Amino acid sequence: MSEIPPCPSCKSSYTYEDGLLFICPECAHEWSKEKVEDITSVEAGIRDSNGNRLEDGDTVTVIKDLKVKGSSLVVKVGTKVKNIRLIDGDHDIDCKIDGIGSMQLKSQFVKKV
């Protein structure tokens, strides 16, 4: 049996299958099985600590003091990072921080402004 996806409208996990449709009993949203692949590809992506989707060029704020590996520098909480670039890998944000230079950050330690 295939896994039934959560509702794309309200994110409820109580959806059920009815013929060629998936139905959400909480918000009454209906969608076809063919659209499930499209929905999951749209929902995929890099998200910040609050679950907001990040895009190239966004401005983010650091939510935790981060030690810079290989030096005594620290990226302080509240530091704004402008014009980020998303990349693949464990550290999924490539950016330039004033006073420190180019570096990579993990999206779990930033929030979108």
Side-chain angles (χ1 to χ4, degrees):
M1 186 171 146
S2 65
E3 185 177 323
I4 297 176
C7 176
S9 179
C10 71
K11 306 295 184 222
S12 170
S13 61
Y14 299 112
T15 57
Y16 62 92
E17 191 174 354
D18 185 23
L20 299 175
L21 296 175
F22 289 115
I23 300 172
C24 176
E26 291 186 7
C27 70
H29 182 70
E30 298 179 356
W31 69 101
S32 69
K33 292 180 183 179
E34 291 82 31
K35 294 200 176 190
V36 171
E37 292 84 21
D38 296 338
I39 291 168
T40 54
S41 66
V42 168
E43 288 180 353
I46 298 173
R47 302 200 177 259
D48 69 358
S49 62
N50 295 333
N52 299 318
R53 186 176 177 150
L54 296 174
E55 297 178 8
D56 285 342
D58 281 346
T59 299
V60 296
T61 303
V62 177
I63 63 166
K64 176 183 175 184
D65 284 347
L66 302 172
K67 294 179 184 177
V68 178
K69 194 172 189 177
S71 77
S72 61
L73 298 174
V74 175
V75 179
K76 295 287 187 180
V77 68
T79 302
K80 275 193 177 179
V81 182
K82 298 178 183 177
N83 199 18
I84 64 170
R85 189 170 62 99
L86 303 178
I87 57 174
D88 291 332
D90 185 32
H91 291 72
D92 43 17
I93 297 174
D94 191 28
C95 62
K96 189 177 284 187
I97 298 177
D98 294 336
I100 296 178
S102 295
M103 65 182 318
Q104 294 179 350
L105 301 172
K106 291 184 178 184
S107 59
Q108 65 191 18
F109 298 123
V110 299
K111 69 177 181 179
K112 192 172 183 177
V113 177

